[in-house]
Amino acid sequence: MSGAAHPGPLPRHPLLVRITHWITVLAFGALLLSGIEILISHPRFYWGETGNSGTTPLFQIPIPSSRASVPTGYNYVLPDQNGWSRSLHFQAAWAAVFTGLVYLLAGIATRHFRRRLLPESLSWSAIQAVLAQHLRRQPDPDPGSYNVLQRLTYLAVVFLVFPLIIWTGLALSPAIGAVLPSSVELLGGRQSARTLHFFLSAALVLFFFVHIAMVVLSGFRARMRAMITGAGTTPQERPQ
Amino acid sequence: MNPARRRFLFAGAAAAGLTAAVELARRFDLVAPDSSGLYAPGTALTYAAQRLLTTGARAREFSREQISAKPFANPVGPLGADFARLQAGSFRDWKLTVDGMVAHPLSLTLADLRALPAGRQVTEVVCEEGWSYIAEWIGTPLHEILRTAGTLPQARYVVYYSHEEGWWDSIDRADALHPQTILTWAMNGADLPVPFGGPLRMRVPRQLGYKSTKYVNRLTATDNLKGFGKGLGSASPEFGYSWYAGI
C-alpha cells in the first residue's frame, strides 16, 4: 500500500474473513489488556525452568508491581487485578482459538490462503520492488491485492506467531505440562515459555500498530468499510 | 430450503447440542463449582477440557540437581493465636481433623501422619503471578488418609481448611485420589518451614500454587460444595480467582 490515500479497487473481504477478523480484534484486545494486568503481578522474566523474586532475572520491566513481594525498586504497589484478568485471558483465548480454527479451515476450503496470502512469486527482487515503491512513495500498482511483504507478514502472523503464542501459553499450564511434558521441555523450561510468550505478544502488538498505520495511511474509512461491509470501491475486481 | 427455515433449524440444532453437552458435562463431573457469571463459558471449557486431557497424567517431576537453591514463599495472612501456641510447642499438639463423608472420622498428629506410607516428589511450585521454584516434597498422600478414614463412595470433593484466616479450598475426586496429591510435612530434607506452609501443606502439583494451601488442619469429604462458604468451591473465587487452577 502506498503512503497516500488514492482511489482504486480495494480488496473485497469474504464474509467469513470479516466476522473472524472482528472477533479476533475483540479477543486480542481482551488478551492484551488482561495479559498486561497479569504481567504486572510479576514484571520480571527468566530463562530456564524456574525463576522467582529471589533469583536473578533475565530482564525486568521498569514498572511497579501489584505484589509487595516483588523487588521492583518502586516504593509503590499497584492494585491486584489478577482474578478477573486470568478469567478474561482464558475466555478470550478460547474465543480466539475457536475463531482461528474456523478461519483456518475455511481459509483452506475456500483456497483463501492460496489465492490471497501465498506470495505469487517469492524472490528478493519482488521484495526489493515493494520496498523501493514504498521508499519512493509511489502509488500501489495493485491496491486490490496484497503485495509480497503483506502476504509474508500475514502468513507469519497466522501460521507462526499465533500457533507459537498458543503453545507458549499452554506450556505455562501445570496440567498441560503433566499431559505433554515435551511441550515445556522443547521451549527450554517453563520460565523460558513465559518469556517467549511475552515476546510473541510484543510481536503481535508491533503487528497491530503497523497494521493500523497502514489502514490509516491508505484511507481509514474505505478500509474500515471494506472490512465491515465487504464492499470494494469499484465493481471490477482483478481476477486472481 | 428457505433461509429462515434453515436458520431456525440451525439454531435448534445448536441449542440441542449445547443442552446435550451441558448434560454430559454434569454427568461426568466436568462442571466446576464456580462456573457461573460472565466467565462461565471460559471456566467451564478450561475445566472440562483439562479434566478430559489430564486423566492419569502426572505432574512433571525433576531430578534432585534441579531443586531450586532459592525457593520463594509468598507472604501469608494472619495465622492467629492458636497457630502461635502450636508453633511454640513445636507442633507436637498439631492435629489434622478428617471428617464429612467418611466411615471413621480421624484426628491425626504429625507423628500419626508420618506413620502412614509416605510419598516423595521433586515438583515445581508454579504461582499464578508467574514465578516458580522446584523443591523436594515429602508427605502423606491424600489418598492414604482418605483410605484410612474410609471415604464413602458418594464423596466427590475434599475440602481443606487452613490456619490462615478465611482460607480454605477444595479439589475434585480426580485430584484427591491422584498419587501426587500429598499432605507435605517435609521439604528439601528438613521439616517443612513455616513460611512454606509448615507443619502441613497440601501439594496439588497439577494445579497452580494457590491450590497448595499452607497450614492445613482439617479435611472434609463431601458430595456437594454448595454448603461451603459462598458455594463456589473455595475462598479464591470469592476474590475473583477460579476454583480450578490447572492453567
Side-chain angles (χ1 to χ4, degrees):
Chain A
M1 253 156 269
S2 71
H6 55 78
L10 292 175
R12 295 175 68 91
H13 299 294
L15 178 65
L16 200 88
V17 168
R18 285 180 275 137
I19 292 174
T20 52
H21 174 267
W22 290 113
I23 297 176
T24 307
V25 170
L26 284 177
F28 176 70
L31 281 159
L32 185 64
L33 173 81
S34 54
I36 291 171
E37 196 47 67
I38 296 164
L39 170 130
I40 288 172
S41 68
H42 199 82
R44 293 156 59 97
F45 288 91
Y46 312 89
W47 197 257
E49 184 58 46
T50 57
N52 59 57
S53 289
T55 65
T56 314
L58 187 66
F59 65 96
Q60 67 182 69
I61 301 182
I63 51 166
S65 168
S66 59
R67 299 294 194 281
S69 59
V70 182
T72 57
Y74 295 90
N75 194 16
Y76 183 74
V77 179
L78 291 162
D80 168 23
Q81 301 290 326
N82 269 23
W84 65 263
S85 295
R86 289 172 45 76
S87 301
L88 178 60
H89 204 73
F90 304 138
Q91 181 141 305
W94 277 111
V97 165
F98 281 131
T99 308
L101 279 178
V102 169
Y103 171 77
L104 205 63
L105 294 176
I108 293 166
T110 63
R111 299 168 63 81
H112 172 74
F113 299 129
R114 186 170 291 241
R115 285 189 293 124
R116 296 205 139 158
L117 295 186
L118 212 63
E120 286 159 331
S121 63
L122 185 55
S123 65
W124 281 115
S125 58
I127 293 171
Q128 277 167 351
V130 175
L131 286 174
Q133 171 229 319
H134 274 72
L135 291 172
R136 294 188 190 121
R137 300 182 66 80
Q138 289 167 342
D140 189 342
D142 185 9
S145 145
Y146 294 130
N147 68 46
V148 64
L149 278 184
Q150 287 175 304
R151 287 173 185 238
L152 288 177
T153 309
Y154 284 126
L155 284 179
V157 166
V158 171
F159 292 102
L160 196 68
V161 181
F162 267 105
L164 280 176
I165 207 162
I166 294 166
W167 176 9
T168 52
L170 285 175
L172 300 180
S173 154
I176 298 296
V179 181
L180 271 176
S182 54
S183 71
V184 191
E185 284 149 15
L186 281 171
L187 296 169
R190 195 176 171 280
Q191 291 298 337
S192 305
R194 179 171 177 262
T195 301
L196 291 169
H197 196 67
F198 170 75
F199 281 122
L200 289 160
S201 330
L204 282 183
V205 170
L206 181 70
F207 167 80
F208 174 77
F209 281 117
V210 173
H211 180 65
I212 296 297
M214 304 248 274
V215 168
V216 169
L217 289 171
S218 63
F220 183 75
R221 287 173 67 112
R223 293 282 166 192
M224 286 298 274
R225 197 164 52 235
M227 193 43 102
I228 293 168
T229 67
T233 47
T234 60
Q236 297 142 321
E237 220 191 333
R238 178 183 157 275
Q240 305 234 5
Chain B
M1 202 186 295
N2 72 54
R5 189 174 152 78
R6 195 163 57 194
R7 268 200 297 276
F8 177 77
L9 285 178
F10 181 76
L18 198 64
T19 311
V22 168
E23 190 45 49
L24 275 175
R26 274 191 215 293
R27 181 149 329 153
F28 291 98
D29 281 351
L30 296 174
V31 181
D34 62 338
S35 46
S36 59
L38 187 58
Y39 301 115
T43 307
L45 278 168
T46 303
Y47 180 58
Q50 292 211 343
R51 264 295 160 264
L52 290 173
L53 279 173
T54 55
T55 315
R58 291 174 65 94
R60 294 164 66 219
E61 296 207 22
F62 301 87
S63 69
R64 298 182 68 101
E65 288 72 47
Q66 287 172 285
I67 291 173
S68 300
K70 288 179 177 167
F72 185 81
N74 252 358
V76 293
L79 294 173
D82 277 352
F83 188 87
R85 184 178 51 76
L86 291 164
Q87 189 174 11
S90 303
F91 301 117
R92 272 186 302 273
D93 297 330
W94 178 278
K95 291 272 173 55
L96 174 72
T97 309
V98 186
D99 56 24
M101 290 187 152
V102 293
H104 323 286
L106 301 172
S107 179
L108 303 166
T109 63
L110 291 170
D112 295 335
L113 283 170
R114 284 172 189 256
L116 289 168
R120 176 196 161 276
Q121 55 175 264
V122 179
T123 52
E124 188 171 12
V125 172
V126 171
C127 181
E128 54 86 21
E129 295 164 13
W131 54 268
S132 60
Y133 67 89
I134 294 172
E136 182 191 40
W137 306 94
I138 302 171
T140 313
L142 178 58
H143 67 83
E144 290 289 351
I145 299 170
L146 296 177
R147 189 180 52 80
T148 309
T151 318
L152 303 180
Q154 63 267 39
R156 289 168 60 204
Y157 302 95
V158 172
V159 179
Y160 41 106
Y161 296 87
S162 168
H163 262 285
E164 193 176 346
E165 220 168 283
W167 204 248
W168 63 282
D169 213 314
S170 70
I171 43 176
D172 61 10
R173 189 155 39 191
D175 266 328
L177 300 178
H178 192 268
Q180 287 173 311
T181 302
I182 64 173
L183 278 149
T184 309
W185 32 258
M187 173 186 170
N188 294 340
D191 284 353
L192 183 62
V194 170
F196 289 91
L200 196 62
R201 179 182 194 172
M202 182 69 86
R203 275 292 288 141
V204 189
R206 297 194 305 175
Q207 296 200 42
L208 294 176
Y210 70 80
K211 296 296 281 190
S212 290
T213 299
K214 297 170 175 175
Y215 323 113
V216 172
N217 58 359
R218 183 182 167 198
L219 306 174
T220 304
T222 180
D223 62 344
N224 195 325
L225 292 167
K226 282 279 172 276
F228 297 84
K230 292 183 180 167
L232 301 172
S234 58
S236 30
E238 297 169 16
F239 303 101
Y241 287 85
S242 61
W243 169 79
Y244 178 70
I247 188 162

